[in-house]
Amino acid sequence: MRTTVAALHAELVRYNLVVWTAGNVSGRIPGEDLFVIKPSGVSYDELTPENMVVCDLDGNLVEGEHSPSSDTAAHAYVYRNMPDVGGVVHTHSTYASAWAARGEAIPCVLTAMADEFGGEIPLGPFALIGDDSIGQGIVETLKGHRSKAVLMQNHGVFSIGKDPKAAVKAAVMCEDVARTVHVARQLGEPLPIPQDDIDRLYDRYQNVYGQRSPR
Ligand SMILES: [Zn+2]
């Protein structure tokens, strides 16, 4: 998991989701009440499996020479309260954060959004770093929602997945659709997709699309 989480940070850079050190990936260690997360303040070029840090589900450092990411409390809160989540990603990616700055959910106006998110990408509350407020906002917004990403108001994106790779994919797709819908807005009002079509697209993409895994 150290290797996986260290390597996935390169995807945040590759897809232009982060600047400086403002973004992080974590992954739950299967079968343990532990997760691996980025060390605080270490640049993406310097991340290695060895300098990743391991925390318990209260966000306490268990293993590692560096202190954990300043967003660790939010990641830990999600793992404590959403047992099916195996990966969490946080970014301030530009277009998605612009929607967050306006306090606006991204409406479902693209089939790719229906596929990946099953509807709009919802807006979470304004919350300050320092306690469980951000984690609570993420969990309250995403529990019972199809979307694997939330726009935290005036802040940025948190995304979740069954594993860290899936959470990174959701962060990448979130920024992609945030940009396209933003561009669409420049020349008019994007057309909504009817709910029953959203449901059909979501069901097909989640259950039929892609390579079948061997039984
Ligand atoms: Zn942040």
Side-chain angles (χ1 to χ4, degrees):
M1 189 53 76
R2 286 168 172 275
T3 306
T4 300
V5 169
L8 281 169
H9 283 87
E11 302 293 302
L12 303 187
V13 177
R14 175 148 70 132
Y15 289 103
N16 285 316
L17 303 187
V18 291
V19 295
W20 203 239
T21 63
N24 38 71
V25 180
S26 69
R28 191 196 293 265
I29 300 174
E32 307 281 342
D33 285 337
L34 298 169
F35 63 98
V36 174
I37 191 166
K38 180 184 179 293
S40 181
V42 178
S43 78
Y44 296 107
D45 289 343
E46 292 167 0
L47 296 181
T48 64
E50 293 72 32
N51 65 20
M52 294 292 111
V53 296
V54 180
C55 291
D56 67 20
L57 297 194
D58 291 317
N60 301 308
L61 179 68
V62 172
E63 195 177 284
E65 287 172 15
H66 296 75
S67 52
S69 162
S70 52
D71 296 306
T72 295
H75 290 246
Y77 189 91
V78 172
Y79 289 123
R80 282 206 305 282
N81 290 281
M82 301 181 89
D84 294 338
V85 170
V88 178
V89 172
H90 175 48
T91 81
H92 299 159
S93 65
T94 304
Y95 283 89
S97 297
W99 287 86
R102 288 198 309 275
E104 198 176 347
I106 306 173
C108 187
V109 293
L110 297 165
T111 56
M113 284 190 74
D115 288 345
E116 178 73 22
F117 299 101
E120 66 167 21
I121 298 178
L123 179 74
F126 176 75
L128 291 180
I129 199 162
D131 56 19
D132 277 339
S133 314
I134 293 176
Q136 284 169 3
I138 298 165
V139 170
E140 281 166 14
T141 309
L142 292 184
K143 254 196 179 168
H145 204 293
R146 286 172 177 171
S147 177
K148 298 289 182 272
V150 51
L151 309 173
M152 292 300 284
Q153 186 179 314
N154 300 102
H155 184 175
V157 177
F158 280 85
S159 63
I160 58 174
K162 66 181 192 324
D163 54 33
K165 186 180 178 185
V168 169
K169 182 191 176 195
V172 171
M173 301 304 281
C174 176
E175 178 63 6
D176 184 54
V177 300
R179 182 176 52 198
T180 306
V181 180
H182 175 97
V183 170
R185 274 274 185 89
Q186 305 310 297
L187 289 174
E189 197 55 37
L191 303 172
I193 301 175
Q195 186 62 48
D196 59 334
D197 289 326
I198 292 174
D199 293 345
R200 265 198 290 272
L201 286 161
Y202 182 71
D203 179 66
R204 175 189 159 276
Y205 188 79
Q206 299 298 321
N207 299 313
V208 182
Y209 176 81
Q211 307 292 324
R212 298 289 179 126
S213 45
R215 306 245 163 153

